[in-house]
Amino acid sequence: MNTLNLTITNGVALIEIDLPERSVNIFTPALVADLEYAINRVIADGDIRGAIISSAKSSFIVGADLKYLLQQYREDWQAFEAAHFFDKENRLFRRMETSGKPFVAALNGSALGGGLELALACHYRILNANPKAVVGLPEVTVGLLPAGGGTQRLPRLIGIEDALPLLLEGKPLKPAQALALGVVDELATPDTLISKATHWINNNPKPTQPWDVKGFIVPNNAGAMAEHAGRSFNANMVRLRKKTQDNYPAPLAILSAVYEGTLLPFDLALDIEAKYFGQLFSDPVSRNLIRTQFVNKGQADKLVNRPIGIDKFTTKKIGVIGAGMMGAGIAHVAAATGLHVVLIDNNQEATQRAKAFIQNKLEKETAKKYSIQDTDQSSAQNQAQQDMEATLARIHATSDYQSLSDCDLVIEAVFENRDVKAEVFAQIEKYIKPDAVLASNTSTLPIASLATTSKHPNRIIGLHFFSPVDRMPLVEVIKAPKTSKATLACALDFVQQLHKTPVVVNDSPGFFTSRIFCSYIDEGMAMLAEGIAPALIENAAIQTSFAIGPLAVTDEVSLDLQQRVVDQAIADKLAPERLRLHAQPTIRLMNEIGRLGRKTGAGFYDYPSNQPKRLASVITHHYPTASMQPDIKDVSDRLLYIQALESARCVEAGIISPSDADLGAILGLGFPTWTGGPLSFIDTIGIHAFVTRCQQLTKYGQRFEPSPWLLDRAKNQRSFYSNSF
């Protein structure tokens, strides 16, 4: 057995899971086979009284092998075929819990997904009391449901009302929370886990799961089960449909599995769970979510695009030029991860405001941490306070550029104006050490153009952060033609130090994310100018599961910033299609009438104090609503297809890879996650169907016309992903 160790002491078997060459345990076919052997031996051997299942690693089991799962996906897979994917595991779990011998899960670390499902099939669960040892069923986040009995055992263990949030949201529980809910039976220190498990086995020689006892009723049911489950189902269905807009099938499938399954005997309930799993696993949404959110993100986090042969670099001190919201955000996350930061602005008051902003953020984080971290609130609060003070102490706010002399990397985050950035670059280069990396946080200006006056263009790179920096996980890393491999490697190592996800982009006006973002807001403003009702535009975006509507997000980034982008593009003599600038008149009008967005309290929306924002009636004065309105699908398709088309153009130009494009659009721009990203969206509907729909949409403008390159791909059925990945 390569994946676990089996030892027997005084009639108690200890099954320790330890997958080779992996930092964590995950469910693999090899592990299932070894578990089957070990469990069958425990059951068959009359000298073995019971078994403890634990782990030789710092965590227990953190889920299934999603990469393996993705490899099994077939475009022609029918739901009834996919439903049987976990039959072997379910038979094994069922055999274990009905064997008549006690099985105890000694959870020395986190038990997630299938790991928790295995524990739920045990008769008793003891969890390491360390707050880092969490338990949960996160399958909904990758478009699936727990298929190892999780949707049936958890409600029967703790009740439907308590189980549904854990199943529908996928959030993990800390040890104290898991104990309070009854997900685990006991907490222990690592050195007492096995002895406590052995003690329980010795005192419970013939355990039975509650749901196998005649007359069992799901806990906390008020009145008849069907009536109670029905109320829960109806209330949650309304909430879920509003949240998912029916674009994410997993939550509703989970709800249905729980509702139907808890009305049936347990073995029939497992068939219900399998049926809904099959429906989800044969649906492309789960494939898209797994591929982008897990596989592609995992590869990006491991720096798959890092040049080989370059030694790992650890940044110790950085400089940040510009104490606005973006500069303060970068300084905050860098200091919070242990880096020393020099925060520079020509206005000393601005640096002090930035530091006060950071302190306010840290105080909120501190309050949240110590309120849930430990039972000893005083100790937790003191530690969090010390951490906050240490973070602030690592930020040196100044107007003196000489303070950059020992920085390893310097990031400018000043106005989106080439002349301003050139002046800042010249100042920085006077003082930085010869091997320091100089990065620009520009969102649109080509890095090569910023490096023209530099003495060392090989050390210049783009690091495009997203606001708010502490919450947005993406960094767009832009390499110019002269950017050295060592500079790229250093930049990627730095992004990894910040615990953020990098996508690598070749230099170009607007790079990737800004081009896609501009196409989105541009299309929204183009529709507004056509007389399409603002509410229809925004609601179509929300129903498609965009994070925010195009008009609302334009208000967030501000119309004066958009005007600066337009002005710079015109100065650079860029063709409008390069940054999708068809809405220039709307941007200019909004600036002329002083409606610059949320920051001024007026944009496409009004922002009355102490009230929700609302679409501004003054907008329809300038853009009267047409008497005939398009179908909402047309509006939705325009917003989806224009971004997917622009993404394909970026891939065609060699600016970005399909996997990084999908990841960047979702993590940086709020592109609907159910699609897997714009290139996955094209593959999902079929590239031929995609270009056909684009040609239909050319009635709204030639910007929807597919390029000859894309038409050729469609003709030859060449998808962006060559297989299920």
Side-chain angles (χ1 to χ4, degrees):
M1 293 183 290
N2 295 323
T3 65
L4 57 82
N5 303 308
L6 174 62
T7 56
I8 302 167
T9 305
N10 297 326
V12 175
L14 175 60
I15 301 171
E16 278 194 305
I17 300 168
D18 189 10
L19 268 67
E21 300 179 0
R22 289 184 184 268
S23 59
V24 294
N25 292 322
I26 57 175
F27 265 104
T28 65
L31 174 58
V32 174
D34 286 350
L35 271 175
E36 184 175 34
Y37 170 83
I39 289 170
N40 285 341
R41 180 176 171 188
V42 169
I43 294 171
D45 191 332
D47 293 330
I48 299 177
R49 292 180 287 105
I52 302 166
I53 303 180
S54 192
S55 166
K57 299 186 187 297
S58 59
S59 59
F60 182 62
I61 301 176
V62 295
D65 184 347
L66 291 180
K67 187 175 288 188
Y68 169 77
L69 205 62
L70 194 60
Q71 288 169 338
Q72 310 312 304
Y73 179 88
R74 300 200 318 264
E75 295 285 352
D76 62 344
W77 210 346
Q78 299 299 308
F80 74 88
E81 296 178 272
H84 298 290
F85 196 84
F86 286 110
D87 276 358
K88 186 175 183 179
E89 288 86 341
N90 276 309
R91 285 194 300 268
L92 180 61
F93 290 177
R94 197 72 181 117
R95 178 162 166 73
M96 180 177 70
E97 68 182 348
T98 59
S99 67
K101 290 189 177 183
F103 282 81
V104 177
L107 307 175
N108 56 302
S110 294
L112 300 171
L116 180 56
E117 289 182 292
L118 172 59
L120 291 173
C122 291
H123 302 98
Y124 198 72
R125 287 157 296 281
I126 308 174
L127 176 62
N128 184 347
N130 188 321
K132 293 182 179 180
V134 297
V135 299
L137 296 170
E139 285 84 352
V140 68
T141 62
V142 289
L144 295 173
L145 57 69
T151 66
Q152 303 308 315
R153 288 188 178 89
L154 190 63
R156 284 168 169 80
L157 186 68
I158 65 174
I160 293 172
E161 296 295 342
D162 286 335
L164 281 177
L166 306 181
L167 291 162
L168 295 173
E169 299 171 18
K171 293 180 180 178
L173 298 172
K174 290 180 179 290
Q177 296 170 314
L179 180 65
L181 278 175
V183 178
V184 299
D185 302 292
E186 190 175 353
L187 302 182
T189 58
D191 59 336
T192 61
L193 269 174
I194 303 303
S195 62
K196 284 178 177 289
T198 302
H199 176 77
W200 193 87
I201 288 173
N202 290 336
N203 286 276
N204 295 272
K206 292 188 178 296
T208 303
Q209 294 283 40
W211 42 88
D212 288 323
V213 176
K214 187 176 181 179
F216 169 78
I217 296 177
V218 175
N220 304 323
N221 270 6
M225 281 185 64
E227 180 185 348
H228 179 69
R231 286 199 304 271
S232 296
F233 178 80
N234 290 332
N236 278 284
M237 184 173 66
V238 171
R239 181 177 62 84
L240 285 176
R241 296 195 72 176
K242 181 179 179 181
K243 182 178 179 180
T244 68
Q245 300 293 328
D246 290 338
N247 294 319
Y248 299 86
L252 286 175
I254 290 171
L255 196 59
S256 298
V258 171
Y259 171 63
E260 296 175 30
T262 51
L263 298 176
L264 296 171
F266 189 77
D267 289 306
L268 290 177
L270 290 178
D271 292 338
I272 295 294
E273 178 183 87
K275 177 188 75 172
Y276 283 108
F277 173 79
Q279 291 177 7
L280 294 176
F281 194 35
S282 59
D283 189 299
V285 170
S286 65
R287 185 269 317 271
N288 291 339
L289 288 170
I290 293 171
R291 180 169 59 198
T292 300
Q293 302 281 72
F294 176 76
V295 176
N296 291 353
K297 185 177 184 301
Q299 291 175 341
D301 288 339
K302 292 176 182 176
L303 307 186
V304 67
N305 292 315
R306 190 183 190 276
I308 59 174
I310 308 292
D311 290 342
K312 189 78 174 176
F313 188 83
T314 301
T315 298
K316 297 177 181 176
K317 186 175 183 178
I318 70 166
V320 179
I321 315 301
M325 293 291 287
M326 185 60 73
I330 296 170
H332 170 202
V333 298
T337 53
L339 279 71
H340 290 273
V341 181
V342 177
L343 179 60
I344 292 181
D345 198 287
N346 291 333
N347 184 336
Q348 186 66 30
E349 290 182 6
T351 63
Q352 295 306 316
R353 284 196 303 271
K355 198 158 183 181
F357 167 80
I358 295 169
Q359 181 171 347
N360 182 55
K361 282 265 193 183
L362 289 169
E363 286 173 348
K364 289 180 179 178
E365 291 173 7
T366 299
K368 185 176 180 181
K369 280 181 183 178
Y370 77 71
S371 67
I372 63 173
Q373 191 172 36
D374 286 313
T375 52
D376 184 354
Q377 295 295 313
S378 177
S379 173
Q381 183 176 3
N382 289 338
Q383 183 60 54
Q385 183 70 26
Q386 291 174 21
D387 291 344
M388 182 189 76
E389 291 171 358
T391 298
L392 285 171
R394 286 192 287 269
I395 301 173
H396 174 50
T398 181
S399 58
D400 183 7
Y401 276 79
Q402 292 188 48
S403 300
L404 301 173
S405 61
D406 59 345
C407 288
D408 303 308
L409 181 148
V410 179
I411 305 168
E412 68 79 11
V414 298
F415 288 119
E416 195 73 353
N417 178 284
R418 183 175 282 105
D419 293 337
V420 173
K421 290 182 183 292
E423 291 177 13
V424 169
F425 268 41
Q427 281 287 91
I428 294 170
E429 289 198 320
K430 288 180 183 178
Y431 301 104
I432 58 173
K433 57 186 181 180
D435 60 345
V437 169
L438 177 52
S440 174
N441 182 57
T442 179
S443 59
T444 58
L445 299 175
I447 302 303
S449 69
L450 298 177
T452 52
T453 59
S454 172
K455 299 174 184 176
H456 306 285
N458 61 308
R459 291 192 279 110
I460 294 181
I461 197 165
L463 287 177
H464 178 204
F465 289 81
F466 295 77
S467 184
V469 182
D470 60 316
R471 286 165 45 198
M472 295 296 284
L474 186 77
V475 178
E476 189 177 27
V477 180
I478 306 106
K479 57 177 182 176
K482 293 184 179 180
T483 302
S484 70
K485 290 183 178 179
T487 298
L488 175 59
C490 176
L492 289 171
D493 291 341
F494 169 66
V495 173
Q496 190 179 60
Q497 278 184 255
L498 299 185
H499 309 301
K500 293 194 176 293
T501 299
V503 293
V504 176
V505 180
N506 286 316
D507 199 20
S508 171
F511 319 127
F512 171 73
T513 56
S514 291
R515 280 181 63 167
I516 309 311
F517 177 72
C518 285
S519 73
Y520 180 56
I521 63 173
D522 182 79
E523 198 61 31
M525 287 185 277
M527 287 190 278
L528 185 70
E530 292 169 19
I532 296 177
L536 178 56
I537 298 168
E538 297 292 87
N539 287 333
I542 298 304
Q543 287 188 27
T544 312
S545 294
F546 283 101
I548 187 172
L551 304 181
V553 77
T554 304
D555 275 4
E556 294 295 330
V557 299
S558 79
L559 275 298
D560 55 337
L561 173 60
Q562 289 302 307
Q563 186 63 61
R564 287 198 294 272
V565 171
V566 170
D567 291 343
Q568 189 66 66
I570 292 172
D572 291 344
K573 298 181 180 179
L574 290 179
E577 60 268 19
R578 293 305 301 274
L579 288 177
R580 322 279 12 125
L581 300 178
H582 303 95
Q584 292 181 45
T586 303
I587 295 172
R588 198 168 299 282
L589 171 65
M590 295 294 282
N591 275 266
E592 288 173 357
I593 63 177
R595 300 189 69 91
L596 304 182
R598 179 185 281 275
K599 68 180 183 181
T600 60
F604 293 110
Y605 285 76
D606 287 325
Y607 300 88
S609 59
N610 302 319
Q611 294 181 46
K613 68 183 180 184
R614 54 175 176 258
L615 282 162
S617 57
V618 68
I619 299 302
T620 54
H621 170 75
H622 294 279
Y623 295 103
T625 302
S627 57
M628 294 290 292
Q629 292 291 301
D631 183 83
I632 193 168
K633 187 177 187 309
D634 256 23
V635 179
S636 170
D637 279 359
R638 287 177 67 173
L639 296 173
L640 270 173
Y641 278 72
I642 196 65
Q643 293 183 80
L645 193 56
E646 191 67 14
S647 299
R649 292 183 180 116
C650 289
V651 173
E652 176 183 0
I655 293 170
I656 195 168
S657 69
S659 58
D660 274 0
D662 281 346
L663 198 58
I666 285 178
L667 295 186
L669 304 176
F671 196 81
T673 56
W674 61 267
T675 65
L679 281 311
S680 286
F681 171 70
I682 295 174
D683 277 4
T684 298
I685 63 173
I687 191 167
H688 186 269
F690 176 79
V691 299
T692 299
R693 181 59 173 149
C694 284
Q695 289 167 332
Q696 293 170 353
L697 292 172
T698 56
K699 64 183 178 182
Y700 298 112
Q702 284 304 112
R703 59 189 176 276
F704 284 100
E705 182 63 45
S707 70
W709 174 85
L710 191 60
L711 290 170
D712 182 68
R713 289 188 76 103
K715 179 181 178 181
N716 293 289
Q717 291 295 311
R718 289 174 53 221
S719 61
F720 287 96
Y721 291 92
S722 59
N723 52 38
S724 61
F725 279 83

